[in-house]
Amino acid sequence: MFLKLGKKGSAAGSVTELVRSSGLRHIAFIMDGNGRWAKKRGLPREAGHKEGSAVFKKLIEYCGEIGIKTVTVYALSTENLKNRPKKEIDALMKLFEAYFRDCTNSTKAKDLEIRFIGNREPLPDSIRSMMTELEARTGEKTKRLNIAINYGGRDEIVRSVNKLISAGAKCVTEDDITASLDTGECVPPDIIVRTGGESRISNFLLWQSAYSELYFSEKYWPDFTEKDVDEAVRWFAGRSRRFGGI
Ligand code: IPE
Ligand code: IPE
Ligand code: MG
């Protein structure tokens, strides 16, 4: 079979075609396994997060190159913030800050619409103001990146319903809840990829994942590559999505 060569001389061209023909508009990642990646190398967990952050930057770009319009990443759950040692949370906050600074300064990130999902209230002021600043950037945006920080699917649904109640609702519809979630007008994820070998959703996009295809990889997040994304796309393209039909 003839494969069109993509920009990088790989088969990226054919993957781009698969993204298009399969209608893959939104990919979400549960970036799990940083800690175990570090432990395996005798390094502190924080080193795993640092490596994970580099992989995140690379793969966000790659998803854009192969034509995926929306990417959502799970960076910190509500349970992570509650249950992990301060040292690890502080290191994660530093990595978030560094990435936000990168985005503010780089021209590459200019065509990226960045939105944060999750409950910002308990986050440090410095981080929150950078989040607001990044979301307020204007310009031609062709791609969207949702970053889930202090995010929990249950928390998001509760906040959404409470917003509707505060606005005077007595009875709510599915459409009302969908629209008032943090993801707002975003299409639901077509595929959710979880690395790190666990086959669970860990409170991620509970409402939005109703008909998402779930893809689990044994690889730790810092080991996940463009080729692994290609494999997930190929797997997705082979699914038959029925949405309850026949
Ligand atoms: C995912 O990696 C990143 C975050 C939860 C912030 P982990 O930190 O959960 O890594 P493991 O699962 O302990 O290996
Ligand atoms: C899910 O990973 C959260 C993120 C990747 C940010 P966890 O490591 O927190 O999930 P559990 O605890 O194994 O379910
Ligand atoms: Mg984990």
Side-chain angles (χ1 to χ4, degrees):
M1 192 173 68
F2 176 73
L3 289 183
K4 241 196 301 172
L5 290 186
K7 263 193 233 168
K8 289 182 171 166
S10 67
S14 67
V15 173
T16 306
E17 179 49 30
L18 273 186
V19 166
R20 199 200 54 74
S21 60
S22 65
L24 204 179
R25 294 177 296 173
H26 183 176
I27 190 166
F29 292 101
I30 301 179
M31 309 182 290
D32 194 25
N34 293 348
R36 281 165 287 162
W37 180 92
K39 191 173 175 207
K40 209 171 99 184
R41 287 162 177 75
L43 298 168
R45 293 180 58 84
E46 292 72 21
H49 294 313
K50 189 161 181 235
E51 191 63 24
S53 155
V55 168
F56 150 77
K57 288 181 217 165
K58 188 177 70 183
L59 294 187
I60 293 308
E61 226 176 275
Y62 183 67
C63 288
E65 280 174 27
I66 60 173
I68 303 177
K69 293 265 185 309
T70 302
V71 182
T72 299
V73 291
Y74 204 3
L76 188 77
S77 72
T78 45
E79 290 77 15
N80 294 150
L81 188 64
K82 264 185 252 150
N83 300 333
R84 297 210 179 186
K86 184 177 181 308
K87 178 173 170 263
E88 183 167 342
I89 297 295
D90 285 350
L92 283 164
M93 294 294 161
K94 284 221 165 65
L95 286 170
F96 296 157
E97 267 189 28
Y99 176 66
F100 300 164
R101 211 167 294 119
D102 262 17
C103 287
T104 313
N105 299 331
S106 94
T107 45
K108 251 193 205 160
K110 281 234 162 67
D111 63 346
L112 201 57
E113 178 182 350
I114 299 180
R115 290 282 172 270
F116 295 97
I117 61 172
N119 185 353
R120 303 174 198 201
E121 248 165 55
L123 300 179
D125 285 347
S126 58
I127 299 266
R128 287 172 54 167
S129 61
M130 287 174 101
M131 288 161 89
T132 314
E133 200 181 315
L134 271 179
E135 283 182 328
R137 292 179 318 166
T138 53
E140 195 64 21
K141 306 278 190 268
T142 53
K143 286 166 258 160
R144 174 163 170 161
L145 170 63
N146 299 313
I147 308 180
I149 297 183
N150 192 32
Y151 175 89
R154 289 180 174 181
D155 173 73
E156 183 191 34
I157 295 167
V158 169
R159 283 187 292 103
S160 162
V161 172
N162 280 328
K163 271 186 243 168
L164 294 165
I165 293 172
S166 303
K170 296 241 167 0
C171 177
V172 297
T173 64
E174 289 191 11
D175 286 347
D176 291 336
I177 293 181
T178 302
S180 55
L181 291 171
D182 298 343
T183 40
E185 75 290 357
C186 209
V187 295
D190 296 300
I191 175 171
I192 299 181
V193 173
R194 180 175 188 143
T195 61
E198 307 296 355
S199 310
R200 55 180 172 252
I201 207 87
S202 300
N203 207 6
F204 190 45
L205 301 177
L206 296 183
W207 182 276
Q208 300 88 333
S209 64
Y211 276 99
S212 303
E213 303 297 329
L214 307 178
Y215 182 87
F216 298 102
S217 165
E218 290 298 319
K219 283 199 175 181
Y220 296 142
W221 175 254
D223 291 328
F224 211 65
T225 64
E226 288 98 334
K227 282 209 167 58
D228 296 315
V229 172
D230 291 353
E231 209 172 302
V233 169
R234 273 192 214 102
W235 175 85
F236 174 80
R239 307 272 62 77
S240 161
R241 305 185 81 192
R242 290 183 286 278
F243 298 98
I246 52 172

